[in-house]
């Protein structure tokens, strides 16, 4: 699977709709772990991920969602729902909550 694959919005997203952030993060997990299904509470490490692959998730989140999470943020709750909550509530590590240039 190529790292350059475009990210597609969930089917529920359309004109005037905001994609569900949990589903968007689950899509990142699915793409990187090459799985057909990742539940909102699916633990990245229990789904087969490791620390090296986690860096790919962090990179994709920064690129696709415009926020940089630290590895510590990821470890705190390595699930799509947990990461979405951390991003939405701003409970990311202080140095990590930077908007990626160009966003």
């Amino acid at each position: 699977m190529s790292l350059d694959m475009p990210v597609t919005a969930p089917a529920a997203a359309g004109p005037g709709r905001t994609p569900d952030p949990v589903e968007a993060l689950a899509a990142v997990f699915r793409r990187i772990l090459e799985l057909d299904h990742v539940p909102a509470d699916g633990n990245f490490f229990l789904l087969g991920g490791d620390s090296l692959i986690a860096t790919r998730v962090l990179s994709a989140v920064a690129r696709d969602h415009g926020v940089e999470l630290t590895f510590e943020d990821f470890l705190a709750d390595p699930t799509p729902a947990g990461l979405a909550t951390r991003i939405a509530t701003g409970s990311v590590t202080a140095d990590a909550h930077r908007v990626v240039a160009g966003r």
Side-chain angles (χ1 to χ4, degrees), residues 22-23 25-51 53-54 57 74 77-83:
V22 175
E23 175 53 34
L25 289 165
V28 171
F29 278 36
R30 283 193 305 271
R31 184 180 78 234
I32 290 173
L33 293 172
E34 298 181 359
L35 297 173
D36 293 330
H37 177 72
V38 171
D41 63 349
N43 183 299
F44 176 80
F45 298 104
L46 296 178
L47 292 169
D50 60 35
S51 60
I53 298 171
V57 172
F74 190 82
D77 195 349
T79 67
L83 295 178

Side-chain angles (χ1 to χ4, degrees), residues 13 17 27 38 50-51 54 63-64 67 72 77 80 86 92 94 99:
R17 291 188 182 157
V38 171
D50 60 35
S51 60
R63 181 183 63 244
D64 300 343
V67 64
E72 289 78 20
D77 195 349
R86 292 181 77 78
V92 296
V99 174

Side-chain angles (χ1 to χ4, degrees), residues 67-70 73-74 82-98:
V67 64
E68 291 185 20
L69 299 171
T70 66
D73 292 324
F74 190 82
L83 295 178
T85 298
R86 292 181 77 78
I87 292 168
T89 62
S91 20
V92 296
T93 303
D95 291 340
H97 204 243
R98 308 183 291 268

